[in-house]
Amino acid sequence: MIRIENLSVSFGDTAAVKNVTLELRDGEILGLVGESGCGKSVTALTLMGLCAREARMESGRICFDQEVLAEAGKPRDEALYRAYQGARMAMVFQEPMTSLNPTQRVGRQVEEVLKLHTKLNAQSRRQKVLETFEEVGLRETERVYQSFPHQLSGGMRQRVMIAMAVILRPRLLVADEPTTALDVTVQGQIVSLLQEINRRQDNAMLFITHDLDLARRLCHRIAVMKDGCVVEQGETGQIFTAPAQAYTRKLIEAAPSRMRQREIPSSGAAPQTPVVEVKNLSVFYQEGSNSLFSRGRRRAAVQGADFTVYQGESLGLVGESGCGKTSLSKALLGMNRMIEGQIIHHTVRPQMIFQDPYSSLNPAKTVGWLLQEPLRARGALDPGLAMTKGDMEAAAYEMLLRVGLEEQYFHRKPSQLSGGQRQRVSIAQALITQPGFLVADEPVSALDVTIQAQIMELLQKLRQEMKLSCLFISHDIHVVYQMCDRIMVMREGRIIETGRRSEIFRSPKEAYTRQLLCGS
Amino acid sequence: MDTPSVRPGPSAPRARKANLYLAAGLVMTGLAVSLGVLGLFWTPYSTTAMSVPDRFAPPSLAHPFGTDNFGRDIFSRVMQGMGTTVCISVLVVLASAAAGVLLGAFTGYFGGLLDEVVMRFTDAVNGFPSILLALVMISLLGNGRQNLILSLSIVFVPSYVRIVRSEYLRLRDADYICRARLMGVNRLRVLFVHILPNILPVLSVSLLIGLNNAILAESGMSYLGIGIQPPEASLGNMLSDAQGYLQAAPWYALAPGLSIVWLVLGFSLFGEGIRRGGV
């Protein structure tokens, strides 16, 4: 039994974790959920003895069975921790690419654990690694053993990480967002694998995630964290059916889930005026070449796309990463000219919202300046639409209020805003010139769930107010479900299925669509 | 997702240290530059008046740095020399940085043929030691203050082109620049209103490093006798005059030599302070 008692951790003057008490029994999976910055990772890293040196344990202690691993006020016993790390407790991180050494074959890296903690000889070490690879569902284990991390897919890398963590059958496995960086269909497989390992090895698992749906599927018990405190703790079923805290309820409601059929009002009149027509569009990119003398080959990222976006409609585009969604959107907006086929725009200057709120606003400018820039640009292009300084400022203030930000943000710089606030400014900037057509490329996937829900609501509201047509791109089919009237499913550069939202969800025609639906 | 929250610690002590660099740099350069600028208009003694009886007077209250082989006050000459050196270096840096920003912005953002031509040209210039190149240019153009500034500026342009170009290459596909293009912002405005402010931190550090190089280059040229001509004082030509009297009057060489070190060290500390995020 592993106990974290009354743990508080702080960095300088800021407390990251406050009086957290958790208990893990053998064979139990405890989910630690909360938004980013709530202290769940710090808790896990402290438990593992991996916290940065600046972190100070203010109070509490960590016990492993009867042994006290760490206690506030006492220096950390590094030797004791080294004996525990890897052998009795192990961790799986979020990003498998950066957690593996890119210059070493993965087999060697896994073997390293055995070298450090066991007295096995080279032959049996190798044997053991191959066995473990098989256990975590890797095929062609010999080939994987000889591979470098970049030669493996994201899912395979995460399996290697898991193999490394479980090879010594640790009593405690800490998984910090192990599926967040993976595609939905792979996510499902990794979750099942973790479940299976837990059943087979009967170890305790601390599963950290911001995704409540995942936690619900995997965990026996759940602890909800907010601002460094555990606000609620209990059996999974109880947390989901009868959450005691308002915050827990808010988290559950915010998660885009197909459990609740949140209906969106369909956008009025029959959508028959086309805004954008795409005919037999293929998009290419130049592949980097290894040879000095030949140019890279032209590869198609999108092939034969055919669709129309109608006035006032919100069209969804789903697919896994790398399927060509972003290539399609860039081509649509004229950012990639290597295309074949036709794109006909019936609006001027369609706008786009990007995924990463941290890179889509110019960090050198104030919010007010950013909001006026589209108006200035429009005025410069078309003198008929030029506005006076005062008018532009008034328009910027008005737009700021419309996206739910107060006037005081007008003079702030992007670095002084949170992710959600930045995304609001992005939206304001895109919509201030009232474009008829907007492409939103994963606008919420970099945000926390509660913020996600707010941004989606805001987009929905503005879309209706401005009678906006929208192409909404996401890898998350539930997000698309909430935002869109019609949905297109894309796979390997082709649009394989298009249909009204209800059709796609009730009777998907393609096997792949079904997989996407159950995968998440 | 929330791993960044794990290490907010080190910023505080680092910021304090940066301020120390910055403060030291500001004090040193502030003192030197104000003395130098003052020296261009007023000096305690005339910088050219000779007085044989006062030859090689060691440092004293009347002559803090002593006097030289013609009995001139070295402190006054160092003041004037520093002023001249700083003025020339600032002009050189401003001229070469302006040209570098223009060329770097266009080549980095647009690429293509212009990029190839300009980059090969900078490669060629970089192929020669910069002082040597400046020497050749001056011998073609003739001595003189303007020619010194012109040739040093030309020699320093390539380094700015490279820095600015790589920054523009990095930022031209940034999301916020894509969005600016989508809004229909015209290209020149994207280059100089949207991107330029974002490279200022990098640029300001390289400006200060460039200033150091220019100070050293100017001193070197004057030392070799092709920069500022005597009797006008400059740190370089004073050093060269002092060479013959190292034993008789060591202070004569020490004064301009240490002044150069003081200037360069000051600007370096200043630059380091800015680089570490002090401003």
Side-chain angles (χ1 to χ4, degrees), chain A residues 310-359:
Chain A
Y310 295 101
Q311 175 83 53
E313 173 192 53
S314 167
L315 178 63
L317 178 61
V318 281
E320 295 185 22
S321 57
C323 74
K325 302 183 301 260
T326 298
S327 300
L328 180 61
S329 66
K330 291 216 158 149
L332 210 52
L333 294 179
M335 287 191 271
N336 181 355
R337 307 241 177 243
M338 291 211 298
I339 56 171
E340 273 166 23
Q342 253 187 324
I343 304 170
I344 305 163
H345 281 286
H346 298 278
T347 55
V348 283
R349 303 221 156 270
Q351 292 296 312
M352 181 158 179
I353 305 171
F354 289 81
Q355 169 174 3
D356 183 3
Y358 290 88
S359 67

Side-chain angles (χ1 to χ4, degrees), chain A residues 69 76-85 88 117:
Chain A
L69 263 184
R76 195 157 67 198
D77 187 345
E78 300 290 343
L80 181 66
Y81 253 110
R82 263 200 300 279
Y84 268 84
Q85 281 162 352
R88 269 174 276 187
H117 291 282

Side-chain angles (χ1 to χ4, degrees), chain B:
Chain B
M1 264 211 152
D2 50 358
T3 32
S5 64
V6 180
R7 292 183 210 88
S11 61
R14 196 175 294 161
R16 235 174 286 136
K17 209 165 187 180
N19 288 343
L20 213 77
Y21 279 109
L22 206 61
L26 272 175
V27 168
M28 289 178 75
T29 48
L31 191 67
V33 169
S34 44
L35 266 182
V37 171
L38 180 67
L40 290 178
F41 304 102
W42 175 86
T43 48
Y45 297 88
S46 161
T47 53
T48 47
M50 304 184 194
S51 132
V52 181
D54 289 336
R55 287 182 70 203
F56 297 129
S60 64
L61 275 182
H63 300 286
F65 289 176
T67 59
D68 66 6
N69 51 334
F70 294 113
R72 297 173 295 196
D73 178 42
I74 295 181
F75 183 69
S76 303
R77 287 180 62 79
V78 163
M79 271 175 75
Q80 193 193 40
M82 230 160 19
T84 315
T85 302
V86 169
C87 259
I88 290 180
S89 308
V90 167
L91 283 174
V92 165
V93 166
L94 286 183
S96 53
V101 166
L102 270 178
L103 284 172
F106 282 101
T107 54
Y109 189 79
F110 295 112
L113 187 65
L114 176 75
D115 185 32
E116 285 298 323
V117 172
V118 172
M119 287 329 281
R120 293 302 78 78
F121 182 72
T122 61
D123 284 345
V125 174
N126 276 337
F128 300 96
S130 51
I131 292 280
L132 193 67
L133 208 63
L135 274 175
V136 171
M137 248 181 285
I138 289 198
S139 59
L140 289 177
L141 296 168
N143 272 337
R145 193 181 287 241
Q146 293 89 339
N147 289 343
L148 179 67
I149 294 174
L150 182 68
S151 55
L152 283 181
S153 304
I154 291 175
V155 171
F156 284 137
V157 168
S159 64
Y160 290 107
V161 175
R162 286 195 170 272
I163 292 166
V164 173
R165 175 178 174 272
S166 67
E167 287 295 296
Y168 270 83
L169 259 179
R170 184 172 66 85
L171 291 178
R172 75 172 175 193
D173 293 319
D175 286 351
Y176 58 88
I177 299 304
C178 288
R179 299 191 54 179
R181 279 197 293 264
L182 274 182
M183 288 166 207
V185 178
N186 88 43
R187 289 168 172 185
L188 281 180
R189 195 173 162 82
V190 169
L191 282 182
F192 298 111
V193 178
H194 287 250
I195 301 184
L196 191 58
N198 287 295
I199 74 166
L200 283 184
V202 175
L203 196 59
S204 59
V205 174
S206 54
L207 278 180
L208 284 169
I209 295 172
L211 202 52
N212 275 340
N213 291 337
I215 289 170
L216 290 176
E218 191 277 329
S219 306
M221 307 285 273
S222 300
Y223 177 81
L224 294 176
I226 44 173
I228 302 301
Q229 298 301 316
E232 203 183 334
S234 105
L235 296 177
N237 68 24
M238 286 174 76
L239 210 54
S240 132
D241 287 344
Q243 212 173 350
Y245 312 102
L246 272 180
Q247 306 239 310
W251 56 86
Y252 190 6
L254 276 178
L258 288 180
S259 305
I260 294 174
V261 172
W262 180 273
L263 267 178
V264 171
L265 192 62
F267 282 120
S268 296
L269 288 173
F270 191 19
E272 186 66 11
I274 291 183
R275 194 183 65 78
R276 298 199 177 201
V279 178

Side-chain angles (χ1 to χ4, degrees), chain A residues 132-301:
Chain A
T132 315
F133 276 173
E134 208 147 306
E135 269 176 50
V136 297
L138 284 163
R139 266 159 285 166
E140 298 180 73
T141 52
E142 278 290 343
R143 192 179 64 82
V144 173
Y145 187 95
Q146 293 296 338
S147 302
F148 288 100
H150 69 266
Q151 293 167 320
L152 304 175
S153 71
M156 285 161 89
R157 282 197 290 262
Q158 198 58 291
R159 283 177 197 271
V160 170
M161 284 302 297
I162 292 172
M164 198 188 273
V166 301
I167 193 164
L168 290 171
R169 305 192 166 250
R171 289 271 309 282
L172 169 67
L173 186 62
V174 176
D176 188 357
E177 305 259 10
T179 61
T180 309
L182 304 173
D183 276 324
V184 264
T185 47
V186 184
Q187 259 180 27
Q189 297 164 11
I190 295 289
V191 167
S192 324
L193 172 66
L194 288 173
Q195 216 155 15
E196 195 192 309
I197 288 172
N198 170 258
R199 226 169 290 151
R200 205 179 327 133
Q201 303 195 350
D202 199 37
N203 50 14
M205 193 185 294
L206 183 63
F207 186 82
I208 298 170
T209 184
H210 68 279
D211 188 335
L212 278 163
D213 261 353
L214 271 185
R216 188 218 303 259
R217 279 165 54 194
L218 183 65
C219 305
H220 305 125
R221 282 195 308 129
I222 286 180
V224 181
M225 274 187 90
K226 188 194 181 203
D227 298 333
C229 303
V230 171
V231 292
E232 188 168 0
Q233 203 173 157
E235 301 292 321
T236 305
Q238 179 207 336
I239 291 272
F240 276 91
T241 47
Q245 294 291 323
Y247 180 71
T248 314
R249 253 195 309 281
K250 204 173 112 198
L251 267 186
I252 295 171
E253 267 161 36
S257 151
R258 70 199 134 119
M259 301 302 166
R260 290 161 305 104
Q261 305 271 318
R262 185 192 291 177
E263 283 303 319
I264 51 165
S266 97
S267 350
Q272 284 318 324
T273 347
V275 174
V276 182
E277 290 172 81
V278 172
K279 288 176 185 158
N280 197 20
L281 176 75
S282 297
V283 184
F284 300 92
Y285 64 93
Q286 200 86 41
E287 200 177 44
S289 115
N290 289 326
S291 155
L292 260 178
F293 302 105
S294 70
R295 287 185 69 178
R297 278 192 315 136
R298 230 165 61 131
R299 282 278 193 103

